[in-house]
Every structure is written in C-alpha cells, then in structure tokens.
C-alpha cells in the first residue's frame, strides 16, 4: 500500500474513486471497477457506497 487513500486525478472514469483505490492497493483499477459494478448490480448498495466514497475520499 502506498500512503494515504486519495481519489485519482489521472486514472478516472467518473470520480477517480476506483483509480485511487487501485493505486493505494497496488492493483489494476479495472479490477476494482469490475468489482464495484458487480456490487451495484448484485447487491444494489454499490452506487450509494461509490457516491459516499466520492464525497469522503479527498482528491490528490
């Protein structure tokens, strides 16, 4: 893991949340995006969690 968790300014599709989490954990952000999309469609809470993460996690 690298430093504090921050949203990515460069590796973003919507808010940079998945890019920031991927960079923080040292894994490909595409994998994070796929897991997040699965959470949205399977559990239904993924969208709410994404919006909360977008608000809470600071931008780099």
């Amino acid at each position: 893991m690298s430093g504090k968790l921050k949203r990515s300014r460069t590796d973003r599709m919507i808010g940079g949340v998945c890019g920031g989490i991927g960079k923080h954990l040292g894994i490909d952000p595409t994998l994070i995006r796929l897991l997040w999309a699965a959470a949205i469609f399977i559990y239904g809470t993924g969208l709410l969690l994404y919006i909360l993460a977008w608000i809470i996690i600071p931008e780099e």
Side-chain angles (χ1 to χ4, degrees):
M1 290 190 212
S2 61
K4 288 187 164 189
L5 176 61
K6 296 190 181 231
R7 290 185 292 127
S8 176
R9 284 187 177 196
T10 56
D11 190 10
R12 66 183 340 164
M13 299 204 94
I14 298 175
V17 174
C18 295
I21 292 172
K23 184 176 181 180
H24 180 73
L25 296 176
I27 58 176
D28 188 17
T30 305
L31 179 61
I32 302 294
R33 290 181 184 111
L34 289 173
L35 292 172
W36 213 296
I40 289 171
F41 292 113
I42 294 172
Y43 302 112
T45 58
L47 184 60
L48 177 64
L49 293 175
Y50 188 89
I51 293 170
L52 286 174
W54 195 352
I55 294 168
I56 293 170
I57 300 172
E59 193 170 47
E60 60 181 10

